[in-house]
Amino acid sequence: MEGSVNDSAGGRIPDAVVTVREVDTGQVREIATDAEGAFRISELHPGTYELSASQAGFAPYRHAGVTLAVGSTVHLEIVLQPETVSTQVTVTAQPPAIDLAQTSLSSAVDKERIEELPVESR
């Protein structure tokens, strides 16, 4: 099994981790792409494989159902998409409950504020 790992613009991705898992036995092999983004995994038994690739800053890639026959070489061109930015906000405090039955408006005014009010009789 051989191929290359590229970004969505066609650029090669070096040091991407390529993982191959044989479906029947569960055996896993993992390699990194070279400086040109190429990889080659040799000495695989005939069978069905699941291939995945990952690199920081890119969304993970998974390809299931790759069949390898006796004496054949499977060539794969893997394209990794940029990872989307996500933000997670966790709220741990509860705001005070609002009394929906309360419909009046109230406030307190202290003595100093009352004395500062303009009065026409002064």
Side-chain angles (χ1 to χ4, degrees):
M1 192 174 297
E2 63 183 31
S4 63
V5 179
N6 308 312
D7 62 18
S8 57
R12 302 293 176 123
I13 301 177
D15 300 320
V17 177
V18 178
T19 305
V20 176
R21 184 180 70 86
E22 189 172 3
V23 175
D24 294 335
T25 64
Q27 289 184 328
V28 176
R29 291 189 51 193
E30 185 175 279
I31 63 162
T33 58
D34 63 14
E36 298 295 318
F39 68 92
R40 180 179 186 89
I41 304 171
S42 58
E43 300 177 14
L44 292 175
H45 300 287
T48 304
Y49 291 86
E50 178 180 285
L51 181 110
S52 61
S54 62
Q55 175 65 303
F58 293 92
Y61 171 90
R62 185 175 162 267
H63 184 118
V66 178
T67 303
L68 187 62
V70 175
S72 69
T73 300
V74 175
H75 186 80
L76 298 168
E77 294 293 324
I78 299 170
V79 177
L80 296 181
Q81 300 297 323
E83 191 169 47
T84 58
V85 177
S86 64
T87 303
Q88 181 177 0
V89 177
T90 304
V91 178
T92 57
Q94 290 288 353
I98 297 174
D99 184 6
L100 298 176
Q102 178 74 9
T103 59
S104 65
L105 177 65
S106 65
S107 64
V109 180
D110 60 1
K111 182 179 177 182
E112 290 84 24
R113 300 285 177 236
I114 293 174
E115 290 175 1
E116 291 176 356
L117 290 172
V119 178
E120 286 184 29
S121 64
R122 285 190 218 176

